[in-house]
Amino acid sequence: MDITKFRKVLVLAPHTDDGELGAGGTVSKLIESGSEVYYAAFSTAEQSVPEGFPKDILKTEVKNATVRLGIAPDHLLIYNYEVRKLNYVRQEILEELIRLRKQIAPDLVLLPSLNDIHQDHSTVAQEGLRAFKQKTILGYELIWNNLTFSTSCFVQLNENHIQKKCDALKAYASQQHRDYISEEFVMSLARARGVQIGCQYAEAFEVIRLIF
């Protein structure tokens, strides 16, 4: 199965940068192949922004990051739900996801793993499954939040795809203190996943729903 056969793709990111971290290389490959990719970020995490940065810095950074991946500016949707409290508004999020399902009609949805232990990630994963249960859904890997992760799907990538992912993540100046955003880590994980399937680079996903 060739992932580039999916023509309309929706990436669900609980926070700005989650989509790039989990699926940036795959998004780059999809866009290169002509797929139309939409990106929905549910929180700009204003309460968690480090000192010295404007509170809305992540809104600016996600715009820059997604452009670097090749996502059209009008395909980026930014919401302002409070970080670590998405579970308080899960019905509202579900209703918004259903609206996106009708408006965008994606044939592939990328969202956090159902085994992600972060409360915001878990909420988006669960409500995303409810909203898009009739679509193909892949769960992306954020290994620092995954107690378990089923590497049941791999997307073979080349160096250009991973470099675009790294370049996108460099747009997050406010997050560069996090180990998992470094180019060294991102490249190492991509190489490790590539070794598993006999290629240079890859990203791994768990298959949540697969529709032929």
Side-chain angles (χ1 to χ4, degrees):
M1 183 176 182
D2 183 357
I3 198 166
T4 62
K5 300 299 183 185
F6 293 104
R7 296 290 81 194
K8 267 195 179 177
V9 181
L10 175 60
V11 181
L12 301 182
H15 315 111
T16 52
D17 79 16
D18 286 330
E20 295 93 317
L21 285 163
T26 299
V27 167
S28 174
K29 179 172 183 169
L30 285 163
I31 291 171
E32 179 183 80
S33 74
S35 299
E36 193 175 0
V37 178
Y38 292 80
Y39 187 112
F42 288 88
S43 176
T44 56
E46 291 189 3
Q47 293 78 9
S48 301
V49 170
E51 284 188 28
F53 291 94
K55 287 299 181 185
D56 63 350
I57 185 64
L58 282 161
K59 186 176 290 187
T60 301
E61 290 175 346
V62 72
K63 290 176 182 178
N64 293 334
T66 49
V67 163
R68 291 184 186 189
L69 278 181
I71 297 173
D74 62 350
H75 285 17
L76 172 63
L77 304 126
I78 304 173
Y79 302 91
N80 292 308
Y81 294 109
E82 188 173 348
V83 66
R84 293 185 294 276
K85 292 186 177 179
L86 298 192
N87 56 320
Y88 294 5
V89 288
R90 61 190 316 136
Q91 181 60 32
E92 187 176 332
I93 288 172
L94 175 59
E95 290 170 6
E96 181 60 21
L97 290 171
I98 291 171
R99 189 187 72 80
L100 292 179
R101 183 187 71 202
K102 294 174 181 176
Q103 177 183 322
I104 297 171
D107 49 4
L108 171 64
V109 178
L110 305 178
L111 45 69
S113 164
L114 291 173
N115 294 305
D116 194 309
I117 62 171
H118 191 294
Q119 62 268 48
D120 289 347
H121 297 193
S122 176
T123 297
V124 170
Q126 291 169 6
E127 300 311 324
L129 175 56
R130 289 188 177 95
F132 297 100
K133 61 188 177 184
Q134 296 177 335
K135 307 290 184 180
T136 292
I137 304 173
L138 299 178
Y140 53 72
E141 181 179 31
L142 301 172
I143 65 172
W144 50 97
N145 283 329
N146 296 153
L147 280 182
T148 61
F149 186 82
S150 174
T151 54
S152 48
C153 172
F154 291 83
V155 177
Q156 185 171 334
L157 304 170
N158 62 37
E159 187 171 359
N160 176 61
H161 302 138
I162 295 299
Q163 191 58 59
K164 280 197 171 183
K165 174 177 181 172
C166 291
D167 292 344
L169 289 168
K170 287 173 185 174
Y172 291 98
S174 68
Q175 304 300 305
Q176 293 304 309
H177 61 287
R178 302 187 186 279
D179 293 341
Y180 53 73
I181 212 166
S182 73
E183 183 165 336
E184 180 185 12
F185 171 79
V186 171
M187 286 287 190
S188 295
L189 181 58
R191 287 194 188 102
R193 293 311 184 203
V195 165
Q196 288 184 272
I197 59 169
C199 69
Q200 189 173 11
Y201 298 103
E203 284 178 334
F205 297 85
E206 64 181 22
V207 177
I208 297 173
R209 201 69 134 184
L210 183 58
I211 299 173
F212 291 108

